[in-house]
Amino acid sequence: MNPIHSPFPATRFRRLRQSAALRDLVQENRLSVKDLIWPVFVTDVPGADVEVPSMPGVVRRTVDGVVRAAEEAARLGIPAICLFPYTDPALKTETCEEAWSPGNLSNRAVRAIKARVPEIAVMTDIALDPYNANGHDGIVRDGVILNDETIEALVKMALAQAEAGADILGPSDMMDGRIGAMRNALEAAGHKDVTILSYAAKYASAFYGPFRDAVGASGALKGDKKTYQMNPGNADEALRLVARDIAEGADMVMVKPGMPYLDIARAVKETFGVPTFAYQVSGEYAMLKGAMLQGWVKEEVVLESLMAFRRAGCDGVLTYFAPEAARALRG
Ligand code: PBG
């Protein structure tokens, strides 16, 4: 950046703000529908389209409903959709087998989307929490979340999802060593083109509350996730995690949550120059949507909040606002 400019009145910053044309011309960052990944919730509950109470406007969809969402995404130009299953509580166990069942809800939804809307990139979630009787992302024994045993389960999950046709695997579990283990297993199984978007810097955050309601994990979770998700006080550690995940074979990395951690997104992009994403999580959505519904802020906050990610250096954003942002961007 050039810090030199002539003093007033030679320099008047307002000259370039006087018309929409000039403002457009000198705009530094742009937000496009192509920057968006749309997270959606899938359920086997018949009928579906049940609104998540803590996420007004966000519904759980049946597999058919998710296919319709993928069709809508395609019409709007949204390049990717990300699936999160609301698992039948009867299928949750301490060993989490449902997580790698080829016919589980998420894998059925991937197959259905790929059959009907193949041009949409389908992202999946790799973590045990939707399948775990304990609500944790890892296998729990005697109150301890086991790292290495969890990795074996996550690798099976990754292979089942790749087999179902997922384009982007999203390990959101924060176990150590999982990216390398998955990458090796994918190569060995012939899934060499399946991409990994690692939740590399995922913080132990209270902003995930509404999501846990959405996937039905709130009731099941015993304790917190602080032994595997990051301490919100840390920044250098995020860079070490990103370095590690890239070295192990991640194609893209994520910072999560989004708005409260934009400094981390900026540091990741500047340090590594890799495809960098942020997740504007459920609690961020709930805050903005709640204030919008009260009439306390205008709908413009949606695009403004998403532009912040572009300004911070993110290549894209996972956001529950994806369809409404896409419509707003079209004008
Ligand atoms: C769990 C997972 C979480 C989210 C995505 N995957 C919640 C958690 O870690 O407890 C949060 C997404 C959101 O809040 O929107 N593996």
Side-chain angles (χ1 to χ4, degrees):
M1 194 173 77
N2 182 0
I4 302 167
H5 63 79
S6 317
F8 176 83
T11 297
R12 287 182 187 267
F13 284 99
R14 293 187 55 196
R15 278 188 207 118
L16 289 174
R17 296 186 203 130
Q18 65 186 296
S19 68
L22 288 175
R23 289 192 294 272
D24 278 345
L25 215 48
V26 298
Q27 181 167 324
E28 297 171 36
N29 297 284
R30 302 216 182 252
L31 177 68
S32 151
V33 65
K34 300 301 175 194
D35 304 323
L36 307 177
I37 299 178
W38 182 15
V40 295
F41 298 110
V42 202
T43 174
D44 265 331
V45 175
D49 280 17
V50 190
E51 198 173 64
V52 181
S54 48
M55 300 180 76
V58 172
V59 296
R60 299 191 195 108
R61 300 158 199 271
T62 59
V63 171
D64 283 345
V66 160
V67 171
R68 283 193 295 277
E71 286 165 348
E72 187 188 356
R75 266 196 310 280
L76 290 166
I78 297 168
I81 199 162
C82 179
L83 304 176
F84 291 101
Y86 171 84
T87 307
D88 179 350
L91 295 172
K92 297 187 187 193
T93 62
E94 305 222 326
T95 37
C96 309
E97 305 75 32
E98 183 64 8
W100 54 90
S101 158
N104 73 19
L105 181 54
S106 175
N107 291 332
R108 276 184 280 126
V110 174
R111 286 197 176 84
I113 295 172
K114 282 288 142 185
R116 297 269 294 282
V117 203
E119 68 272 27
I120 284 280
V122 178
M123 176 170 169
T124 46
D125 185 59
I126 300 186
L128 299 178
D129 53 323
Y131 312 98
N132 196 340
N134 297 289
H136 276 290
D137 292 21
I139 304 276
V140 185
R141 197 176 302 146
D142 301 328
V144 178
I145 291 101
L146 303 176
N147 193 86
D148 302 12
E149 289 78 352
T150 299
I151 287 182
E152 287 173 31
L154 299 174
V155 165
K156 287 187 256 184
M157 250 183 121
L159 291 173
Q161 294 177 356
E163 205 57 53
D167 301 286
I168 306 171
L169 306 184
S172 69
D173 55 287
M174 288 296 279
M175 297 299 126
D176 286 313
R178 87 270 207 225
I179 303 297
M182 281 174 208
R183 180 52 80 203
N184 288 339
L186 289 167
E187 286 286 330
H191 295 298
K192 57 187 192 308
D193 290 328
V194 172
T195 67
I196 298 177
L197 169 43
S198 171
Y199 288 60
K202 175 172 176 179
Y203 287 84
S205 172
F207 286 99
Y208 307 149
F211 173 95
R212 292 178 191 166
D213 297 339
V215 298
S218 305
L221 183 63
K222 296 179 185 72
D224 58 48
K225 300 191 176 184
K226 290 179 184 172
T227 69
Y228 45 107
Q229 299 180 347
M230 281 182 71
N231 180 343
N234 292 356
D236 290 342
E237 186 190 359
L239 300 182
R240 296 171 66 210
L241 285 162
V242 168
R244 190 267 315 266
D245 284 4
I246 297 166
E248 289 188 12
D251 304 287
M252 305 173 267
V253 295
M254 190 201 293
V255 173
K256 178 185 176 189
M259 289 160 64
Y261 296 87
L262 284 175
D263 56 325
I264 306 298
R266 155 64 65 196
V268 166
K269 189 62 178 182
E270 262 174 16
T271 307
F272 300 103
V274 294
T276 302
F277 291 78
Y279 198 143
Q280 184 180 51
V281 300
S282 57
E284 301 175 61
Y285 173 88
M287 287 194 304
L288 293 172
K289 193 65 167 191
M292 278 158 61
L293 289 172
Q294 293 289 333
W296 292 338
V297 296
K298 290 191 184 154
E299 278 157 22
E300 280 101 302
V301 295
V302 172
L303 294 188
E304 185 178 334
S305 72
L306 295 174
M307 182 64 88
F309 294 101
R310 300 285 293 140
R311 210 175 50 240
C314 292
D315 297 284
V317 195
L318 287 91
T319 175
Y320 301 97
F321 286 118
E324 57 187 285
R327 279 187 285 270
L329 285 166
R330 290 184 158 206

